[in-house]
């Protein structure tokens, strides 16, 4: 029996905040499936039992679907809809009936059919379809649960101090959790882009995924602390540690309340150097929260989200409607719409394009490369964006630009689209600004050339760090090497800012580095003009900016740029952060 006192787990932080509570272990269902011979005269009754279980499952899924839709909006509800589609597949029921006709009981027949489908998924190369195996398993568990009168351990028993611990969580579990207002949740598997992680952020519940073995070590009732910012979980902590975190939690609550007062204040240092704080969004539902938190623009609208969990590409009209809604709500504030960044892990999850699985998808046909190779996708989106541009202040941004020719090629397509729209007498903003993300080291190296041909740039540190340091951003085995303070990254940022300012254009940052207040002084000191962060982090970053003097952070940045090792950099940054707090 491993030591279960004060055990620390490290995982992937996906939704911030501290939670202190008791473990509610949500175990995977285990069904005891016995093969029973069904006599000929009972086969119809057995089929009826199956039909009832399927209908019950469908009703449950529809309720879940409705709840997801109400709470999180259209784009998330597709997740539950996939489950309903599996139930509706006629061949699924036909195969089960066939086994019942051969004399099997309904549970065993369901199990056998699912097992066969799941096995067939194992041979599939495409990651998207391979992952759908989990959806089949989820649906199967629900039908078997209804046949056996057994449910996944009842979430109704959840107390208010519950931190849900599970090997994995389905979207349906996640919605049930939200209804119970649990403190947080943690899982063994999953990465930043898993459905669960995406939904946790939308629900603003502290959450950590990818903890590997937490569900096998935790027991219901154990005390658990979850630090959703550090990605750390402590199981059965000492009293001293509980007290420490309670204090931190209380401090965080007070700070959060205090932070709401900053909403209408400017993002300005103590010596009046002003910058902008924008927010990153994935779907239009997030606009209300970013305005409530005082963001003065959208610095990154990740449009890929609308391509997931569906069978067809979004139409020009769909693009137009989504973007118009967002920019109307943003009113006078700007919205930077990034053209679609499909590819890498994101293409695998989409399954819309018939593209061979690549050996190195992050170095493959991704983002602007994919759009240039498949211009129809690009053109539909550009037309939608341009049409929406009369309804608000849109800026257009290309992802993953690696050289000037790519930028020019994208701009040529944009110009052709504009010519067509003019011919069609469709109005659009002729002055719409065009920018690029700087997230590939080659683009950072030639920023002086790029800066002369764009209206703005935004630094994508998530990828810039991955590509510059050769560290896969979603691989936990090298997470310790993924370092925003690596001198190479800081020099890149400095060079990008300097060259852009020389060219007279603004520089933003929309990677996660911009949303971590620890880095705010160095980024300010390096001269960043705009911080684009996740909606919940807007007030924290504003506070960090308002707590320092520009002169001080510039001096600190000059000192930091001379450092070659992390220790010296951290020392200077810690000193300035202590003063700021
Ligand atoms: C980035 O790379 O920093 C970025 C913001 O883009 P994404 O995380 O969507 O790749
Ligand atoms: Mg990126």
């Amino acid at each position: 029996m491993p030591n279960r006192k004060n055990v620390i787990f490290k995982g992937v932080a996906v939704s911030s905040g501290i939670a202190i509570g008791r473990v509610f272990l949500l175990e995977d269902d285990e069904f005891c499936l016995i093969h029973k011979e069904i006599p000929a005269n009972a086969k119809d009754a057995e089929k009826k039992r199956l039909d009832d279980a399927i209908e019950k499952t469908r009703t449950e899924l529809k309720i879940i679907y409705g709840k997801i839709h109400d709470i999180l909006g259209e784009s998330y509800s597709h997740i539950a809809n996939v489950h309903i589609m599996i139930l509706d597949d006629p061949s699924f029921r036909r195969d089960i009936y066939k086994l019942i006709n051969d004399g099997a009981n309904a549970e065993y027949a369901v199990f056998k059919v699912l097992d066969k489908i799941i096995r067939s998924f194992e041979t599939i190369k495409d990651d998207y379809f391979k992952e759908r195996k989990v959806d089949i398993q989820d649906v199967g568990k629900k039908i078997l649960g209804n046949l056996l009168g057994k449910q996944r351990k009842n979430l109704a028993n959840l107390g208010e101090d519950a931190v849900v611990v599970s090997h994995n969580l389905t979207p349906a579990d996640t919605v049930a959790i939200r209804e119970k207002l649990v403190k947080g949740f943690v899982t063994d598997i999953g990465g930043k882009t898993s459905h669960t992680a995406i939904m946790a952020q939308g629900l603003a519940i502290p959450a950590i995924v990818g903890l590997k073995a937490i569900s096998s070590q935790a027991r219901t009732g154990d005390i658990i602390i979850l630090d959703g910012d550090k990605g750390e979980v402590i199981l059965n902590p000492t009293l001293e540690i509980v007290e420490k975190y309670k204090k931190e939690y209380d401090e965080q609550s007070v700070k959060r309340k205090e932070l709401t007062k900053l909403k209408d204040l400017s993002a300005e240092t103590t010596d009046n150097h002003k910058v902008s704080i924008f927010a990153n969004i994935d779907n239009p539902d997030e606009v209300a929260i970013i305005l409530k938190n005082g963001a003065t623009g959208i610095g990154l609208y990740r449009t890929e989200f609308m391509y997931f969990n569906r069978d067809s590409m979004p139409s020009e009209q769909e693009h137009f409607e989504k973007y118009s809604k967002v920019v109307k709500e943003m009113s006078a504030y700007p919205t930077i719409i990034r053209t679609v960044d499909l590819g890498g892990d994101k293409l695998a999850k989409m399954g819309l394009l018939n593209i061979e699985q690549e050996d190195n998808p992050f170095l493959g046909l991704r983002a602007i490369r994919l759009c240039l190779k498949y211009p129809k996708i690009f053109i539909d989106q550009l037309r939608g964006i341009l049409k929406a541009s009369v309804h608000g202040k849109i800026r257009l941004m290309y992802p993953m630009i690696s050289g000037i020719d790519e930028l020019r090629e994208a701009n040529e397509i944009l110009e052709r689209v504009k010519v067509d729209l003019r011919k069609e007498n469709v109005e659009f903003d002729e002055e719409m600004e065009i920018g690029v993300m700087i997230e590939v080291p080659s683009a950072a190296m030639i920023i002086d050339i790029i800066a002369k041909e764009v209206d703005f740039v935004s630094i994508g540190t998530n990828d810039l760090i991955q590509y510059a340091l050769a560290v896969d951003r979603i691989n936990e085995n090298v997470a310790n090497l993924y370092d925003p303070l690596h001198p190479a990254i800081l020099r890149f940022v400095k060079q990008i800012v300097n060259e852009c300012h020389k060219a007279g254009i603004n520089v933003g940052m929309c990677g996660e580095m911009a949303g971590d207040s620890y880095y705010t002084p160095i980024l300010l000191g390096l001269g960043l003009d705009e911080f684009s962060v996740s909606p919940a982090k807007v007030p924290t970053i504003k506070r960090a900016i308002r707590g320092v003097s520009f002169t001080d952070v510039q001096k600190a940045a000059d000192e930091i740029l001379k450092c070659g090792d992390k220790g010296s950099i951290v020392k200077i940054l810690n000193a300035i952060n202590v003063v700021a707090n």
Side-chain angles (χ1 to χ4, degrees):
M1 180 86 179
N3 172 28
R4 296 183 52 254
K5 283 254 169 281
N6 210 34
V7 194
I8 298 174
F9 296 84
K10 293 242 183 229
V12 183
V14 294
S15 192
S16 72
I18 288 175
I20 305 169
R22 287 197 180 268
V23 168
F24 183 93
L25 189 63
L26 201 60
E27 285 163 298
D28 269 357
D29 311 67
E30 276 167 22
F31 298 105
C32 181
L33 293 171
I34 299 165
H35 179 256
K36 282 191 270 178
E37 193 66 31
I38 300 293
N41 63 359
K43 283 180 187 165
D44 285 346
E46 197 62 6
K47 282 184 205 157
K48 166 99 175 50
R49 216 162 63 77
L50 172 77
D51 290 346
D52 289 348
I54 289 182
E55 279 327 300
K56 193 161 179 217
T57 307
R58 189 197 315 282
T59 309
E60 287 166 1
L61 285 171
K62 281 206 168 137
I63 293 170
I64 291 162
Y65 177 80
K67 282 181 185 166
I68 296 182
H69 187 273
D70 290 349
I71 296 168
L72 291 170
E74 183 73 34
S75 43
Y76 292 88
S77 59
H78 289 300
I79 300 166
N81 210 17
V82 170
H83 291 187
I84 298 175
M85 277 159 57
I86 296 168
L87 279 188
D88 287 341
D89 181 351
S91 65
F92 178 61
R93 198 178 309 218
R94 199 182 51 226
D95 291 350
I96 302 173
Y97 271 9
K98 193 169 171 295
L99 287 179
I100 296 176
N101 284 338
D102 292 344
N105 53 325
E107 291 84 347
Y108 188 77
V110 169
F111 170 75
K112 278 309 246 186
V113 169
L114 286 172
D115 193 48
K116 193 168 161 209
I117 301 174
I118 288 163
R119 275 172 207 278
S120 68
F121 271 64
E122 260 138 38
T123 57
I124 295 176
K125 276 213 173 135
D126 182 297
D127 274 356
Y128 172 80
F129 288 108
K130 211 176 195 166
E131 279 182 22
R132 302 286 55 83
K133 187 175 87 174
V134 181
D135 290 322
I136 312 252
Q137 279 164 334
D138 284 345
V139 172
K141 280 179 185 170
K142 283 199 165 58
I143 303 173
L144 287 174
N146 283 327
L147 273 171
L148 292 161
K150 229 175 155 192
Q151 286 296 317
R152 184 162 162 91
K153 200 166 181 180
N154 199 346
L155 282 164
N157 298 333
L158 280 170
E160 284 228 331
D161 64 346
V163 169
V164 174
V165 177
S166 182
H167 179 62
N168 190 19
L169 281 174
T170 65
D173 293 329
T174 315
V175 170
I177 284 168
R178 135 92 189 220
E179 289 200 327
K180 292 285 159 200
L181 289 174
V182 301
K183 298 242 167 173
F185 65 78
V186 298
T187 60
D188 291 339
I189 63 171
K192 266 198 192 299
T193 55
S194 66
H195 283 150
T196 306
I198 292 163
M199 292 178 80
Q201 283 161 27
L203 296 167
I205 299 174
I208 303 173
V209 299
L211 287 151
K212 293 186 177 151
I214 184 108
S215 77
S216 57
Q217 293 213 37
R219 305 271 182 280
T220 293
D222 283 349
I223 306 253
I224 185 168
I225 296 174
L226 185 171
D227 187 333
D229 297 288
K230 287 198 207 133
E232 202 166 276
V233 172
I234 309 170
L235 201 58
N236 296 316
T238 59
L239 268 182
E240 211 182 334
I241 290 183
V242 173
E243 285 311 315
K244 176 179 157 263
Y245 272 95
K246 269 192 182 154
K247 209 165 142 239
E248 214 167 297
Y249 177 84
D250 290 343
E251 281 167 11
Q252 277 191 2
S253 307
V254 173
K255 271 190 196 158
R256 258 198 301 275
K257 271 204 194 112
E258 282 294 310
L259 286 174
T260 56
K261 295 183 191 154
L262 298 178
K263 180 182 172 284
D264 298 318
L265 301 179
S266 59
E268 183 174 357
T269 60
T270 52
D271 49 354
N272 310 111
H273 172 74
K274 279 192 186 155
V275 292
S276 303
I277 305 184
F278 288 2
N280 298 343
I281 67 163
D282 291 330
N283 87 57
D285 303 341
E286 288 166 295
V287 173
I289 165 104
I290 71 171
L291 291 174
K292 190 172 143 248
N293 282 351
T296 55
I298 293 173
L300 169 64
Y301 182 171
R302 284 187 169 95
T303 55
E304 327 47 273
F305 218 85
M306 62 195 282
Y307 292 71
F308 298 157
N309 294 317
R310 54 187 293 161
D311 303 319
S312 60
M313 290 286 173
S315 64
E316 173 185 327
Q317 180 65 14
E318 227 178 297
H319 284 295
F320 166 72
E321 283 168 14
K322 282 242 160 45
Y323 308 147
S324 300
K325 180 175 183 294
V326 169
V327 298
K328 276 182 194 164
E329 280 178 52
M330 289 301 288
S331 170
Y333 293 136
T335 297
I336 299 179
I337 301 183
R338 176 174 78 179
T339 57
V340 66
D341 178 8
L342 290 170
D345 57 337
K346 294 179 194 159
L347 183 65
K349 287 194 168 53
M350 184 183 62
L352 296 182
L353 283 179
N354 196 13
I355 293 174
E356 285 275 307
Q357 186 68 38
E358 296 171 306
D359 285 338
N360 280 309
F362 276 112
L363 303 180
L365 195 59
R366 187 186 162 190
I368 197 70
R369 302 169 182 184
L370 185 137
C371 284
L372 295 178
K373 177 151 183 186
Y374 297 98
K376 167 94 171 78
I377 299 176
F378 196 38
I379 289 168
D380 283 351
Q381 185 175 32
L382 291 177
R383 285 180 64 97
I385 292 172
L386 281 165
K387 282 180 166 180
S389 68
V390 291
H391 294 301
K393 209 165 159 190
I394 294 184
R395 297 178 189 159
L396 181 75
M397 179 162 75
Y398 304 130
M400 286 278 295
I401 290 289
S402 62
I404 198 73
D405 292 332
E406 238 169 7
L407 169 63
R408 289 179 185 159
E409 203 182 330
N411 275 337
E412 271 165 30
I413 296 180
L414 178 68
E415 282 314 311
R416 286 207 296 275
V417 170
K418 286 183 178 177
V419 169
D420 287 346
L421 289 177
R422 285 186 202 110
K423 274 191 205 143
E424 294 164 34
N425 287 324
V426 175
E427 265 190 71
F428 60 88
D429 176 9
E430 294 275 0
E431 307 299 316
M432 185 175 73
E433 292 185 8
I434 312 298
V436 289
M437 287 195 69
I438 300 296
E439 49 186 346
V440 180
S442 57
M445 285 303 290
I446 58 157
I447 187 63
D448 52 324
I449 300 168
I450 291 178
K452 293 192 186 102
E453 301 195 18
V454 292
D455 299 308
F456 66 92
V457 311
S458 185
I459 307 173
T461 46
N462 302 346
D463 279 312
L464 185 61
I465 297 169
Q466 141 163 288
Y467 294 128
L469 305 186
V471 178
D472 182 345
R473 66 191 254 194
I474 55 171
N475 180 347
E476 69 270 17
N477 296 325
V478 285
N480 60 324
L481 296 173
Y482 188 90
D483 182 12
L485 288 183
H486 191 295
I489 301 302
L490 300 179
R491 287 183 190 194
F492 268 136
V493 174
K494 182 68 193 159
Q495 181 175 332
I496 295 165
V497 170
N498 280 358
E499 291 302 327
C500 287
H501 285 176
K502 262 194 229 161
I505 62 170
N506 261 19
V507 187
M509 179 181 286
C510 56
E512 295 304 302
M513 185 181 185
D516 186 332
S517 59
Y518 181 70
Y519 304 125
T520 307
I522 177 71
L523 295 178
L524 267 177
L526 291 173
L528 199 69
D529 302 302
E530 173 232 301
F531 292 67
S532 191
V533 306
S534 81
K537 289 182 179 156
V538 170
T540 316
I541 299 303
K542 192 185 278 187
R543 181 180 171 276
I545 291 164
R546 294 180 61 85
V548 292
S549 103
F550 190 47
T551 319
D552 288 350
V553 292
Q554 275 183 311
K555 272 192 210 140
D558 286 345
E559 284 309 306
I560 283 174
L561 283 173
K562 290 181 204 148
C563 301
D565 66 294
K566 176 100 185 251
S568 320
I569 294 173
V570 166
K571 211 162 144 198
I572 301 170
L573 200 51
N574 282 351
I576 203 143
N577 269 312
V578 166
V579 175
N581 291 301

